[in-house]
């Protein structure tokens, strides 16, 4: 466990959390098939996300990268982006009864602990708003968060974080101390770009060694590492 925080992990004023791989694990492919459905409509032939980096990306970035890989010029789809975002969200919400997701071990206990310390809890995710909210509601975590940093208006994770930080500061003041939780090296890089402390968990697809070139301030196997032993 790498530990370089300048204070105890639970002593920050506010926290921002990634969703997929950090707070919860989705065993379904609803979000994936939403991408495929929307991309197929745009391109006019069956599409997948083969060859597209999805981990650590954001929804609009995934759409952009998939369309570039398919050879579609940006001017052919960029003006339709609001409608494309809506179509992706609509697909996922229509199929949310197919969700097979669960909160990861220790997540609920850590969130409850931080809320008990009066910390501001927020989301900073690559998900579009309706999709992220639906996932959090499905696993019973939506109620914990008062700040919502979605990717609707952003194409990089660093910009998502920047937007979420601005919302936190509107609520808690300019001098707020803030820490990010994520599960990918991109989360760490985005936190660094915004001068934020960052805690990473290896509950997604990345192992501890994958963070060697971009180490977080604290690296955990799971949220359970933060809880007192029973």
């Amino acid at each position: 466990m790498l530990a370089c925080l300048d204070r105890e992990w639970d002593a920050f004023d506010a926290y921002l959390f990634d969703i997929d791989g950090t707070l919860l694990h989705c065993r379904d492919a609803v979000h994936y098939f939403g991408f495929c459905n929307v991309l197929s409509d745009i391109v006019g032939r069956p599409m997948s996300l083969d060859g597209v980096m999805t981990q650590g990306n954001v929804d609009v970035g995934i759409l952009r990268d998939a369309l570039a890989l398919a050879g579609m010029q940006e001017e052919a789809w960029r003006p339709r982006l609001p409608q494309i975002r809506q179509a992706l969200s609509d697909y996922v919400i229509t199929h949310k009864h197919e969700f097979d997701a669960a909160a990861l071990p220790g997540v609920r206990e850590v969130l409850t602990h931080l809320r008990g310390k009066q910390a501001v809890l927020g989301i900073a995710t690559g998900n579009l708003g309706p999709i992220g909210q639906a996932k959090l509601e499905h696993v019973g975590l939506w109620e914990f968060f008062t700040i919502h940093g979605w990717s609707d208006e952003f194409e990089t994770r660093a910009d998502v974080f920047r937007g979420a930080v601005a919302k936190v500061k509107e609520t808690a003041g300019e001098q707020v101390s803030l820490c990010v939780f994520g599960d990918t090296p991109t989360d760490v890089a985005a936190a660094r770009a915004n001068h934020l402390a960052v805690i990473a968990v290896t509950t997604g697809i990345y192992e501890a060694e994958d963070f060697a070139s971009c180490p977080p301030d604290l690296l955990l196997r799971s949220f359970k590492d933060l809880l007192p032993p029973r």
Side-chain angles (χ1 to χ4, degrees), residues 56 157 182-191 200 206-207 210-214:
R157 192 160 292 262
D183 71 298
T184 72
T186 307
D187 290 316
V188 178
Y206 291 97
E207 304 292 340
D210 296 317
F211 293 90
S213 62
C214 53

Side-chain angles (χ1 to χ4, degrees), residues 199-210:
I199 297 172
V201 288
T202 57
T203 45
I205 69 167
Y206 291 97
E207 304 292 340
E209 55 266 25
D210 296 317

Side-chain angles (χ1 to χ4, degrees), residues 8-21:
E8 294 296 321
W9 73 270
D10 58 355
F12 290 86
D13 300 319
Y15 297 82
L16 292 171
F17 294 83
D18 171 55
I19 294 180
D20 297 296

Side-chain angles (χ1 to χ4, degrees), residues 143-221:
E143 61 160 334
F144 284 101
F145 302 102
T146 58
I147 302 294
H148 307 114
W150 312 119
S151 70
D152 299 56
E153 303 301 325
F154 304 107
E155 294 187 28
T156 71
R157 192 160 292 262
D159 286 337
V160 170
F161 282 19
R162 190 170 297 114
V165 168
K167 291 182 178 181
V168 171
K169 289 183 176 181
E170 289 174 4
T171 297
E174 285 292 325
Q175 302 306 312
V176 63
S177 61
L178 205 153
C179 183
V180 172
F181 277 81
D183 71 298
T184 72
T186 307
D187 290 316
V188 178
R192 297 296 184 222
N194 286 280
H195 311 290
L196 302 173
V198 55
I199 297 172
V201 288
T202 57
T203 45
I205 69 167
Y206 291 97
E207 304 292 340
E209 55 266 25
D210 296 317
F211 293 90
S213 62
C214 53
D217 296 299
L218 188 62
L219 184 60
L220 310 172
R221 292 165 299 179

